[in-house]
Each structure stands twice: as structure tokens, then as C-alpha cells.
Amino acid sequence: MAIQRTFSIIKPDATERNLTGAVNAVIEKAGLRIVAQKRIHMTRQQAETFYAVHKERPFFGELVDFMISAPVVVQVLEGENAIAKYRDVMGATNPANAAEGTIRKLFAKSVGENSVHGSDAPETAAIEIAQFFAGNEIVG
Ligand code: ADP
Ligand code: MG
């Protein structure tokens, strides 16, 4: 399996509770390397662009409001099979369904306020990374 990069967000519910380091510890323990990271406060336009795929969903407005409610930490993670591996480390979207030891089981508050984002495929990972990082900000 090849080395991949995936895009991660530590969401407002986690940054507000001072859980950035705790989330990063789970990421690193799983063998993923944080090769880029910055704390930002997303604009409404950035959040709407990022989640455009969900714009017809009933929770879209709530999701955008949540993502701009406090700072987030955007990251690029690198490792073997990083995209699928990080989805496993994150756990199910709804923390009620998330497996023991996953970030969402450990920390998420609800299906909406679920602590982390991770890309779902190589194509989306490339688009999401490019939305937030210049090439020279990623140091593998
Ligand atoms: P994932 O983040 O696991 O890839 P989705 O891509 O389906 O999940 O949804 C994107 C984000 O939208 C979720 O992480 C969550 O923050 C929010 N969301 C998804 N489903 C719901 C829901 N039923 N109610 C409120 N927010 C939701
Ligand atoms: Mg998704």
C-alpha cells in the first residue's frame, strides 16, 4: 500500500475544549504523521465551499454555522493508506455508532459536533488539502 496524504480538521467542539493535543496523540499513536498544521478561524465562504457537497442536506446551515463558531485546526496527515486509516481512527460520523478507542467515541459530542473531519477518497483529499495549504507549507 502506498504512502498517502489526507486532510484533517479538528473541529470547533474539540478546539473549544482544549483537545487539540489529545486528538493529535490519537493520530500519532495510529502511525499517521502530521506534516502540516495550522489553527484558523474559517470564514463562512470557506466553510460553504468546503462542505459544498452537502449543500442540499437539511443540516447544511447548521454545519456551516458550527464550523465557523470557533477556531479549527486544519492538518495534512501522511502515512501508509492514510485516507482509509484516518477514517478508521476517526470512527463513525455519529459517535453513538463509533468503535471504542476512536476519536469520535472518545471526544465527539453529537453527530454534528463530532470533533474531526477526514477526507473520504484520494480525489477529495487532494482538493481539500489544496483549499487550505500551499505546497511549501507541507513538510513530509
Ligand atoms: P463524515 O464527517 O463522517 O465524512 P459526512 O460527510 O456524512 O460525515 O457529513 C459531514 C459532516 O456533517 C459530519 O461530520 C457532521 O459534522 C455533519 N453531519 C452529518 N450528518 C449530520 C446530521 N444528521 N445532523 C447534523 N450534522 C450532521
Ligand atoms: Mg464526509
Side-chain angles (χ1 to χ4, degrees), residues 20-38:
T20 298
V23 171
N24 281 349
V26 179
I27 289 170
E28 291 184 332
K29 193 153 189 223
L32 291 164
R33 185 175 299 275
I34 302 164
V35 295
Q37 173 170 265
K38 59 189 171 190

Side-chain angles (χ1 to χ4, degrees), residues 11 51 53-54 57 59 62-63 66-67 87 90-94 104 110-120:
K11 293 183 178 181
Y51 278 123
V53 67
H54 294 307
R57 308 282 287 277
F59 57 79
E62 181 190 324
L63 175 58
F66 166 58
M67 292 300 290
R87 296 292 306 192
M90 288 163 54
T93 306
N94 186 340
R104 284 167 166 168
S110 67
V111 65
E113 301 197 12
N114 60 4
S115 302
V116 281
H117 165 85
S119 307
D120 58 13

